[in-house]
Amino acid sequence: FYAFYHTKPGARGHDTGIKPGGNFLLSAGAGPMGLGSIDYAVHSDRKPGLLVVTDIDDDRLARAASLLTVEEAAKNGVRLVYVNTGKLQNPEEYLMSLTGGHGYDDVLVMAPVKPVIELSDRVLAHDGCLNFFAGPTKKDFYAEVNFYNVHYSATHLVGTSGGSTQ
């Protein structure tokens, strides 16, 4: 969460951490590491306004929703939405609709799966940060990134591994 960053218009510095009150997407996020991320996002001092958790497994989503409820998130000022993207005709359109077309300020990718990464890139907002947490085992793992958006929409990528007890 501390590796996310956002640019400062007209300056050469960065604001680190997720965007407070922003739109946060946790891609493929209903597994064990995703559960910790949901908990942290809902209960930390720097919270998103919207937290969308995607997965393609109904059982994992149901378990996540039972452990980290929409009601608990709301009590903490976070709108939490669980989405099975595997059941959607157009996941990109649906995910964008949840943000009113703005996109996601922060995206945490929890699985080294090409379509997951590419969808995550496509829904980034202006100055959106995609954090690739999921370590691939293949040294030649590739996914497409829209470099037009890197330039003109200031989207950016960061990779993280591990964490701390803080």
Side-chain angles (χ1 to χ4, degrees):
F1 280 75
Y2 297 103
F4 284 101
Y5 68 95
H6 298 277
T7 58
K8 295 178 182 179
R12 295 200 180 266
H14 296 96
D15 288 323
T16 58
I18 68 167
K19 184 175 182 180
N23 298 325
F24 187 103
L25 175 63
L26 185 56
S27 291
M33 295 303 291
L35 293 175
S37 296
I38 299 164
D39 186 31
Y40 188 81
V42 168
H43 295 107
S44 70
D45 290 339
R46 192 173 183 132
K47 299 175 184 34
L50 171 66
L51 171 59
V52 176
V53 179
T54 68
D55 209 292
I56 58 169
D57 184 291
D58 281 334
D59 291 336
R60 279 195 306 247
L61 284 165
R63 182 167 186 265
S66 72
L67 295 172
L68 298 149
T69 66
V70 169
E71 294 79 16
E72 172 66 15
K75 280 194 275 184
N76 286 277
V78 178
R79 178 177 165 225
L80 174 59
V81 180
Y82 290 99
V83 178
N84 184 331
T85 52
K87 292 185 173 182
L88 298 174
Q89 291 245 347
N90 189 331
E92 179 180 347
E93 184 178 288
Y94 182 75
L95 292 174
M96 289 299 287
S97 76
L98 294 174
T99 70
H102 172 80
Y104 293 85
D105 303 297
D106 300 289
V107 178
L108 183 56
V109 177
M110 303 298 284
V113 177
K114 182 180 178 180
V116 171
I117 296 164
E118 292 175 351
L119 173 61
S120 296
D121 175 64
R122 290 193 308 270
V123 298
L124 282 172
H126 185 273
D127 191 37
C129 186
L130 188 152
N131 185 336
F132 183 60
F133 183 76
T137 56
K138 292 175 53 178
K139 291 182 179 181
D140 63 345
F141 178 72
Y142 295 94
E144 290 187 23
V145 173
N146 184 329
F147 278 89
Y148 181 90
N149 287 343
V150 169
H151 184 80
Y152 290 105
S153 293
T155 62
H156 37 275
L157 306 172
V158 65
T160 55
S161 181
S164 72
T165 56
Q166 293 174 324

